[in-house]
Amino acid sequence: MLPTHEYANDLILFALIVDCGSFSKAAESAGITSSVISKRIGKLEKSLGARLLYRTTRSLTPTESGAMLYRHAKTLSAQMQEALYAVSEKSEALTGTIRMSVPTISGELLLSESVAEFCALHPELKVEIRLENRFVDLVNEGIDLAIRTGTMPDSSLIARHILDSRWVIVCSPAYRKQHTQPQTTADLLAHNCLTYTYQESGTANWLVKQPGHEAIQELQVNGNLSANNARAIRKAVIAGHGIAMVPRCMVYEDLQSGKLVEILAGHCGKVLGVYAVYPYTRNLPLKTRLLIEHIISSYKRISHYF
């Protein structure tokens, strides 16, 4: 059996390998060679008497035992980081620059003000925000932190879930007066549906469901306007030109004021996770961690928008 401290180090290394998806990427992140990693994992497997990874020339996946060990290893890694943070918080000054990439809706609604507030609390720190809807390559583009909405395909990144963003189907009161209100999602096919092009399911594929049911279906709607900016769609809907499926947070105040009305409540099947995402690092800088905590608190304060 390995000594306890060696187990702890190798468990954290094992979690890094699974997160990165390869020995070479894990070696680069850990600052050691691939051969050293291979020997340490081989030693760990021998000590435990269990195979932890399936390895081919193109892929690396955990075995059933490996998947179980990974969950515990991630917990251990998080606990060790928390312990280090507790000590470093009293000594590390918040200086330098943090480069962020955030979605346009969240940036305009919340993040610009939240980050400015954080900078006011730490005057020696500078934060550069890029408002963009594409999923940037954090490592190659030098981004320290991103706020992302949707699925998290890159396993080499750390993603911390903040909350879920629910979408709604809306129109203006004037549009509802002039047209027969849809009673089922199939009725949407007879309406002018304005579409937001930045969505994973496709421009005109709306995710719908029956109230009280979990099954999600795709509905191919029709309309005469599409845009890659959700606020442009919002303005067209407020003006009475059609129906749209948009993030609830973006139109929350419009719904409260009566500029827009929600139709087919409970039929929209689109819910996307909002995440704080950053590259794997053995020691996440205190300034980045505190900014993440500040942003999460800001989201929680207006969670009713979502």
Side-chain angles (χ1 to χ4, degrees), residues 137-239:
D137 185 328
L138 272 63
V139 176
N140 290 332
E141 297 184 42
I143 302 298
D144 302 299
L145 173 64
I147 303 300
R148 287 185 173 176
T149 302
T151 56
M152 298 294 106
D154 192 339
S155 62
S156 67
L157 301 176
I158 306 299
R160 181 170 175 184
H161 181 261
I162 299 175
L163 48 67
D164 288 326
S165 174
R166 185 169 69 87
W167 289 45
V168 290
I169 303 170
V170 297
C171 69
S172 70
Y175 183 91
R176 188 168 63 172
K177 285 182 180 179
Q178 295 169 6
H179 301 81
T180 303
Q181 183 172 337
Q183 300 300 314
T184 68
T185 54
D187 294 340
L188 291 170
L189 300 178
H191 287 265
N192 189 34
C193 295
L194 312 183
T195 52
Y196 177 38
T197 58
Y198 179 72
Q199 54 179 13
E200 294 177 356
S201 57
T203 300
N205 292 343
W206 285 7
L207 301 180
V208 297
K209 65 175 184 176
Q210 293 299 317
H213 294 77
E214 297 299 322
I216 306 296
Q217 297 178 323
E218 287 190 6
L219 181 71
Q220 187 82 25
V221 297
N222 302 293
N224 59 13
L225 176 67
S226 64
N228 65 353
N229 183 285
R231 292 201 174 273
I233 295 297
R234 168 186 167 270
K235 287 186 176 181
V237 176
I238 289 175

Side-chain angles (χ1 to χ4, degrees), residues 2 5-15 40-41 43-44:
L2 294 172
H5 71 279
E6 287 191 34
Y7 265 127
N9 291 334
D10 287 346
L11 285 175
I12 293 172
L13 182 61
F14 173 70
R40 286 177 61 176
I41 296 304
K43 189 176 179 181
L44 179 62

Side-chain angles (χ1 to χ4, degrees), residues 33-190:
T33 65
S34 296
S35 61
V36 169
I37 283 188
S38 182
K39 288 178 182 178
R40 286 177 61 176
I41 296 304
K43 189 176 179 181
L44 179 62
E45 288 180 322
K46 183 178 180 180
S47 177
L48 294 174
R51 186 175 185 181
L52 301 177
L53 296 167
Y54 292 120
R55 282 166 273 180
T56 69
T57 55
R58 294 187 176 182
S59 66
L60 180 152
T61 56
T63 63
E64 184 177 352
S65 297
M68 183 184 302
L69 185 66
Y70 170 75
R71 291 192 292 271
H72 292 288
K74 288 292 284 185
T75 300
L76 174 63
S77 179
Q79 289 173 342
M80 289 188 65
Q81 282 203 345
E82 286 299 321
L84 292 172
Y85 293 150
V87 175
S88 65
E89 278 184 8
K90 300 187 181 212
S91 59
E92 186 178 342
L94 299 191
T95 60
T97 301
I98 299 175
R99 294 175 176 83
M100 287 185 65
S101 172
V102 307
T104 55
I105 294 174
S106 291
E108 295 172 1
L109 173 69
L110 166 71
L111 291 173
S112 296
E113 182 177 354
S114 175
V115 172
E117 180 182 71
F118 184 78
C119 290
L121 295 172
H122 307 284
E124 295 184 22
L125 181 70
K126 179 180 179 181
V127 180
E128 297 177 358
I129 299 180
R130 289 165 40 176
L131 271 65
E132 53 200 348
N133 287 327
R134 68 186 182 91
F135 279 10
V136 300
D137 185 328
L138 272 63
V139 176
N140 290 332
E141 297 184 42
I143 302 298
D144 302 299
L145 173 64
I147 303 300
R148 287 185 173 176
T149 302
T151 56
M152 298 294 106
D154 192 339
S155 62
S156 67
L157 301 176
I158 306 299
R160 181 170 175 184
H161 181 261
I162 299 175
L163 48 67
D164 288 326
S165 174
R166 185 169 69 87
W167 289 45
V168 290
I169 303 170
V170 297
C171 69
S172 70
Y175 183 91
R176 188 168 63 172
K177 285 182 180 179
Q178 295 169 6
H179 301 81
T180 303
Q181 183 172 337
Q183 300 300 314
T184 68
T185 54
D187 294 340
L188 291 170
L189 300 178

